[in-house]
Amino acid sequence: GENVEQHPSTLSVQEGDSAVIKCTYSDSASNYFPWYKQELGKRPQLIIDIRSNVGEKKDQRIAVTLNKTAKHFSLHITETQPEDSAVYFCAAWFSNDYKLSFGAGTTVTVRA
Amino acid sequence: GAVVSQHPSRVICKSGTSVKIECRSLDFQATTMFWYRQFPKQSLMLMATSNEGSKATYEQGVEKDKFLINHASLTLSTLTVTSAHPEDSSFYICSASIRGNYGYTFGSGTRLTVV
């Protein structure tokens, strides 16, 4: 099965600075990589995703990069705001299983 | 977009009783439903995968007789926690996918507290 590692586990940034979260995956057959944001007591919300045929994707202040050779992908949040404070999960989709494997999560705190 | 409705959102039950959690896909037919458990400050832990009309596949360490999963139709899956104990207290969340499509749609989650 797929193993996804996520770092760091906690991240504290000053408002306006950038935040970067990195993930690695083990199965080279994984072909879809979503990122979820989860606020306390709520469901994970998809914020951005990338497929294996693309190296980078951007949506306003959020961007994701993928390096298939190295099997790692990263989330970049620029100009962070207090409302970006949440737990972020990366995931890798293994098409043979039609199943997502999640990273352990990163608790992001944006200091005002 | 795709919506998954999960009920109840919160439930408190006595130790030894059973609790049923429902997930419904409202505007699409979910080929597969996944059930996760999430302890405080931890990641989503997959409990089981169920395909409509067939038995659920449980992850290692998850007791199938304790966590009964039924996926009788393409729009409804249920998780029943039988003989619940305080250690079963957790956030349970379902997700649905459509075969051939990427990714999930998550339910809103159920906070179970066993007293």
Side-chain angles (χ1 to χ4, degrees):
Chain A
E2 178 65 276
N3 183 42
V4 179
E5 293 194 0
Q6 181 172 348
H7 299 281
S9 57
T10 61
L11 181 59
S12 179
V13 297
Q14 189 69 38
E15 182 177 0
D17 288 350
S18 296
V20 180
I21 304 170
K22 297 182 179 181
C23 288
T24 60
Y25 60 99
S26 59
D27 198 318
S28 57
S30 292
N31 55 7
Y32 172 69
F33 307 90
W35 285 88
Y36 292 88
K37 175 183 180 182
Q38 187 180 28
E39 296 176 350
L40 191 63
K42 297 188 177 179
R43 79 182 87 192
Q45 297 275 11
L46 178 69
I47 56 171
I48 196 167
D49 56 14
I50 191 167
R51 297 191 183 183
S52 57
N53 58 347
V54 175
E56 184 174 356
K57 184 177 178 181
K58 190 173 181 180
D59 182 4
Q60 299 183 347
R61 296 187 296 107
I62 295 173
V64 58
T65 59
L66 171 65
N67 183 326
K68 279 202 69 179
T69 304
K71 291 190 281 188
H72 66 71
F73 55 114
S74 301
L75 177 72
H76 304 252
I77 307 173
T78 58
E79 300 172 31
T80 53
Q81 300 167 5
E83 52 265 37
D84 294 329
S85 296
V87 180
Y88 292 81
F89 292 98
C90 63
W93 178 265
F94 182 43
S95 60
N96 285 4
D97 281 345
Y98 286 91
K99 188 161 60 175
L100 278 176
S101 292
F102 286 89
T106 298
T107 301
V108 174
T109 304
V110 180
R111 307 186 306 274
Chain B
V3 176
V4 173
S5 174
Q6 183 172 346
H7 294 281
S9 58
R10 306 179 80 91
V11 59
I12 301 173
C13 71
K14 290 185 178 180
S15 188
T17 61
S18 295
V19 174
K20 180 185 279 190
I21 302 169
E22 285 192 355
C23 270
R24 292 180 184 272
S25 55
L26 298 185
D27 50 1
F28 68 102
Q29 293 183 325
T31 314
T32 306
M33 286 277 199
F34 303 89
W35 286 94
Y36 287 86
R37 180 168 51 184
Q38 187 178 34
F39 292 108
K41 298 186 179 181
Q42 293 191 20
S43 189
L44 297 151
M45 295 175 54
L46 181 65
M47 299 175 66
T49 304
S50 73
N51 294 297
E52 184 263 341
S54 61
K55 289 184 179 179
T57 302
Y58 289 82
E59 297 298 303
Q60 194 172 6
V62 177
E63 299 175 59
K64 62 179 181 180
D65 294 331
K66 180 171 182 62
F67 299 99
L68 302 178
I69 290 172
N70 185 285
H71 192 171
S73 76
L74 283 170
T75 59
L76 174 65
S77 179
T78 60
L79 166 67
T80 302
V81 182
T82 62
S83 187
H85 291 288
E87 56 264 33
D88 297 325
S89 299
S90 187
F91 187 62
Y92 292 86
I93 190 164
C94 65
S95 63
S97 71
I98 303 170
R99 195 161 191 88
N101 288 11
Y102 291 108
Y104 290 172
T105 299
F106 281 97
S108 53
T110 298
R111 173 72 58 194
L112 171 63
T113 303
V114 185
V115 298

